[in-house]
């Protein structure tokens, strides 16, 4: 299989012959329209008049390799003070772009970071019980109003006070200028690093959102900026521009609406790319669905008419024979290249890559459900979840479309019908509102389901995925089938200063999103685990009986 390789600034993009013709056509278009030079110059008109006002305030990421250096002295001072105080356990409270990039940076560079991007009370309790006496909490929220992050902050503040610790000695804030969180931080005396307001959350890897928690965890973030700076010098050119090639590879295919992501390094990179690409492109009934797999072989299918396998690696050109496109290079350069390529793909797809019109819907549904629940009695509480279609052992089955599962006798039959409901060009999404660590076996459902269908299968932890593929689920092509998992809470945790608990918030988020899918007529099943361990075991058993 022949290939074409573009190498610049230690970042390599290799295109297999299978994608060569389509990429070449897309590149001719991009070069003829001067896209590279315009993007490097932050030309907000690249995505059309309807997107121009949004793009005008979302292109600060283009030169972050230079502008973020201004933050380094302030970050170094904060790090020095926290280390001098013996605070070596870094907890990051953030969602989506505020958490995924630092998680990749720290995991790839040998540091330690506890990420809280969940509302599961078991997971939150576990984090709070871990080395509280040595913990520094980074509260990251661009808007300053993110409900999950605000809840984490409240819980930790209370825990610090109960332990006789002044939260002002432990909390570090990262937010945009003028946000409610910036005002609160000033009031409470929390050290604050303000991020560039002209960078959207999912493009914020090289802003304060990526740099502050990573530096606290011991990462040399200046080196990360150096890696990005070496690539940035190539971004205005039509030739020797690997990021432009990657953008053409992502967005230049007619019918390729699924990007299968395989790679072991940088650690967690697939999840970061997933959020960037899904939330940027999944709208107006189109988009690119990222499918993060355990390995290229675990994809469950070879690249085909609607799926494009992209491999990535931090250190050298990855050897993935099945891959259509291979991306290799240092982490800082990869962050910038993927952001650039996603913006280019947005232009090729004819959409605005900087908005997220359907993310707010699930947030509104969550808020409405919580308010109704507070006002309701036990008999009509919307968080009661309604009567199940059936109960199989420790698993309750709830369906958005009861007709699809009418007369199903057990869990195996429900799963069999769900798998067969995936259309030929569609996908199956698993959404687990559970404890990412305590209920880790839920992640094994992705490869099990992938072995039962030729269609892609995605997996996301809730509510984290709501800030990622959740946009694609509701705004992208209407060809998804959905399996949602919720679980009984054995030890809930109140959110201080709020009339709800983490468990109630988690369930409201799950039911709110389930309702949004149902309103669109998407085939969806919610499996509620009456006892989590037994429920997951029963689910695995039932899946083993499903026929391909």
């Amino acid at each position: 299989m022949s290939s074409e390789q573009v190498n610049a600034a230690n970042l390599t993009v290799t295109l297999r012959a299978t994608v060569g013709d389509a990429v070449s056509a897309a590149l001719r278009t991009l070069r003829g329209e001067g896209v590279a030079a315009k993007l490097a110059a932050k030309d907000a008109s690249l995505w059309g008049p309807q997107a121009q006002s949004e793009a005008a305030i979302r292109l600060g990421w283009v030169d972050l390799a230079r502008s973020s250096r201004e933050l380094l002295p302030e970050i170094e001072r904060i790090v020095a003070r926290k280390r001098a105080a013996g605070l070596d356990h870094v907890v990051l409270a953030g969602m989506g772009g505020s958490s995924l990039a630092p998680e990749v940076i720290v995991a790839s560079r040998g540091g330690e970071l506890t990420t809280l991007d969940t509302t599961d009370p078991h997971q939150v309790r576990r984090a709070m019980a871990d080395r509280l006496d040595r913990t520094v909490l980074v509260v990251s929220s661009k808007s300053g109003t993110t409900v999950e992050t605000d809840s984490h902050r409240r819980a930790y503040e209370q825990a610090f006070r109960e332990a006789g610790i002044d939260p002002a000695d432990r909390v570090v804030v990262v937010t945009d200028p003028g946000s409610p969180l910036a005002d609160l931080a000033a009031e409470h005396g929390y050290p604050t690093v303000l991020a560039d307001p002209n960078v959207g959350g999912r493009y914020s890897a090289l802003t304060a959102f990526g740099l502050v928690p990573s530096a606290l965890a011991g990462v040399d973030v200046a080196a990360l900026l150096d890696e990005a700076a070496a690539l940035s010098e190539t971004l205005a050119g039509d030739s020797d521009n690997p990021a432009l090639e990657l953008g053409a590879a992502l967005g230049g295919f007619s019918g390729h609406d699924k990007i299968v992501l395989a790679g072991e390094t940088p650690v967690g990179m697939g999840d970061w790319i997933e959020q960037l690409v899904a939330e940027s492109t999944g709208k107006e009934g189109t988009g690119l669905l990222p499918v993060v797999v355990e390995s290229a072989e675990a994809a469950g299918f070879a690249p085909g008419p609607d799926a494009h396998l992209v491999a990535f690696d931090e250190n050298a050109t990855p050897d993935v024979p099945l891959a259509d496109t291979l991306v290799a290079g240092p982490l800082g350069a990869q962050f910038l290249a993927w952001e650039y390529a996603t913006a280019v793909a947005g232009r090729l797809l004819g959409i605005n890559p900087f908005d997220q019109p359907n993310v707010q819907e699930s947030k509104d549904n969550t808020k409405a459900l919580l308010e109704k629940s507070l006002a309701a009695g036990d008999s009509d509480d919307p968080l009661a979840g309604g009567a199940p279609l059936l109960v199989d052992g420790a698993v309750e089955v709830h369906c958005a479309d009861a007709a699809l599962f009418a007369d199903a006798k057990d869990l195996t039959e429900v799963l069999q019908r769900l798998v067969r409901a995936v259309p030929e060009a569609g996908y199956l999404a698993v959404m687990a509102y559970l404890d990412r660590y305590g209920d880790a076996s839920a992640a094994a459902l992705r490869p099990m389901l992938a072995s039962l269908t030729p269609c892609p299968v995605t997996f996301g932890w809730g509510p984290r995925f709501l800030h990622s593929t959740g946009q694609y689920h509701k705004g992208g092509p209407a060809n998804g089938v959905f399996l949602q998992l919720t679980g009984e809470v054995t030890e809930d945790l109140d959110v201080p200063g709020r009339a709800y608990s983490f468990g109630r918030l988690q369930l409201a988020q799950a039911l709110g999103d389930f309702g949004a899918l149902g309103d669109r007529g998407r085939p969806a099943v919610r499996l509620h685990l009456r006892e989590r361990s037994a429920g997951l075991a029963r689910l695995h058993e039932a899946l083993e009986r499903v026929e391909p």
Side-chain angles (χ1 to χ4, degrees):
M1 183 184 295
S2 62
S3 65
E4 176 186 349
Q5 185 178 91
V6 178
N7 189 329
N10 297 320
L11 185 113
T12 302
V13 172
T14 304
L15 305 172
R16 302 295 192 188
T18 50
V19 300
D21 291 344
V23 171
S24 295
L27 279 171
R28 284 194 296 272
T29 298
L30 294 169
R31 288 165 177 162
E33 296 170 347
V35 168
K38 290 178 181 177
L39 182 50
K42 303 182 185 178
D43 185 341
S45 69
L46 281 170
W47 300 274
Q50 290 186 330
Q52 188 162 352
S53 61
E54 179 82 22
I57 57 171
R58 290 290 178 260
L59 290 170
W61 56 269
V62 171
D63 52 15
L64 283 173
R66 174 190 55 78
S67 62
S68 282
R69 291 188 184 280
E70 300 171 3
L71 300 174
L72 295 183
E74 183 181 5
I75 294 173
E76 289 168 2
R77 285 192 293 271
I78 293 173
V79 171
R81 286 197 296 268
K82 300 309 177 188
R83 286 180 180 167
L87 305 181
D88 58 1
H89 179 224
V90 185
V91 177
L92 171 60
M95 298 298 297
S98 297
S99 63
L100 288 168
E103 191 168 75
V104 174
I105 295 167
V106 175
S108 298
R109 297 295 162 94
E112 181 189 4
L113 179 71
T114 296
T115 304
L116 269 185
D117 55 2
T118 181
T119 46
D120 187 88
H122 306 110
Q123 190 172 334
V124 176
R125 279 185 177 277
R126 184 183 300 106
M128 292 173 60
D130 183 16
R131 294 168 284 174
L132 187 69
D133 60 324
R134 292 156 45 195
T135 293
V136 55
L137 176 73
V138 183
V139 181
S140 288
S141 171
K142 181 176 176 63
S143 68
T145 60
T146 309
V147 65
E148 300 95 337
T149 305
D150 178 70
S151 300
H152 300 147
R153 174 188 62 80
R154 290 168 178 272
Y156 262 90
E157 285 175 338
Q158 178 169 292
F160 285 139
R161 293 190 185 103
E162 290 176 350
I165 298 170
D166 185 351
D169 295 332
R170 300 303 188 88
V171 176
V172 175
V173 166
V174 182
T175 189
D176 275 7
S179 77
L181 181 56
D183 294 339
L184 181 144
E187 179 183 344
H188 291 278
Y190 297 156
T192 302
V193 182
L194 298 177
D196 187 336
N198 292 318
V199 180
R202 57 189 177 273
Y203 291 80
S204 67
L206 300 175
T207 70
F209 288 106
L211 302 182
V212 171
S214 301
L216 283 165
V219 174
D220 180 355
V221 294
L224 196 72
L225 296 178
D226 290 341
E227 294 163 4
L231 179 69
S232 65
E233 298 174 2
T234 72
L235 297 185
D238 286 334
S239 60
D240 296 322
N241 184 343
L244 187 69
E245 296 262 352
L246 179 58
L250 296 181
F253 288 88
S254 175
H256 269 76
D257 63 354
K258 301 173 185 70
I259 306 297
V260 184
L261 299 166
E264 295 182 0
T265 63
V267 180
M269 190 69 175
D271 291 334
W272 178 81
I273 297 170
E274 177 186 60
Q275 193 230 357
L276 174 68
V277 173
E279 199 170 34
S280 296
T281 69
K283 59 200 70 171
E284 299 178 26
T286 188
L288 302 171
L289 175 69
V291 184
V292 181
V293 297
E294 298 75 16
S295 66
E297 294 74 19
F301 58 95
D306 68 339
H308 180 177
L309 179 57
V310 182
F312 55 85
D313 186 81
E314 186 172 10
N315 302 308
T317 302
D319 181 17
V320 184
L322 292 174
D324 292 313
T325 302
L326 303 98
V327 184
L331 180 56
Q334 288 231 26
F335 279 140
L336 183 56
W338 282 97
E339 288 165 354
Y340 183 102
T342 301
V344 169
R347 177 177 172 85
L348 292 170
L349 293 170
I351 52 90
N352 175 5
F354 305 113
D355 67 350
Q356 50 282 330
N358 301 106
V359 169
Q360 188 61 39
E361 179 181 358
S362 288
K363 295 181 181 179
D364 293 341
N365 286 355
T366 296
K367 182 179 179 181
L369 281 170
L370 286 171
E371 290 175 348
K372 289 178 182 176
S373 178
L374 290 171
D378 293 339
S379 61
D380 56 353
D381 185 353
L383 296 184
L389 177 74
L390 61 90
V391 177
D392 187 329
V395 181
E396 292 180 0
V397 178
H398 300 260
C399 304
D401 181 4
L404 181 62
F405 304 95
D407 302 323
K409 298 178 179 60
D410 56 20
L411 184 56
T412 295
E413 190 169 350
V414 168
L415 293 168
Q416 184 78 72
R417 295 188 192 184
L418 186 75
V419 168
R420 290 179 177 172
V422 183
E424 183 176 354
Y427 66 97
L428 173 60
V430 183
M431 308 166 296
Y433 287 85
L434 298 170
D435 180 342
R436 182 174 165 191
Y437 304 104
D439 303 318
S441 65
L445 297 173
R446 197 215 71 79
M448 291 182 72
L449 286 161
S451 70
L452 298 172
T453 174
C455 297
V457 179
T458 68
F459 180 90
W461 294 104
R464 160 170 147 164
F465 80 88
L466 291 176
H467 300 256
S468 176
T469 49
Q471 167 62 44
Y472 186 96
H473 292 166
K474 295 177 282 291
N479 58 3
V481 174
F482 301 90
L483 175 60
Q484 185 187 87
L485 305 178
T486 56
E488 201 68 21
V489 171
T490 56
E491 193 174 4
D492 208 345
L493 179 65
D494 287 336
V495 178
R498 294 288 188 244
Y500 49 80
S501 64
F502 278 95
R504 301 285 284 177
L505 174 58
Q506 180 187 42
L507 186 56
Q509 290 175 313
L511 295 181
D513 195 50
F514 196 70
L517 295 171
D519 290 344
R520 286 171 169 75
R522 308 286 206 259
V525 169
R526 179 171 72 93
L527 303 181
H528 183 71
L529 312 179
R530 292 183 166 186
E531 198 284 320
R532 296 192 182 195
S533 180
L536 285 170
R538 177 69 192 104
L539 180 50
H540 280 255
E541 292 171 2
L543 266 178
E544 289 173 356
R545 298 193 183 96
V546 174
E547 298 178 0

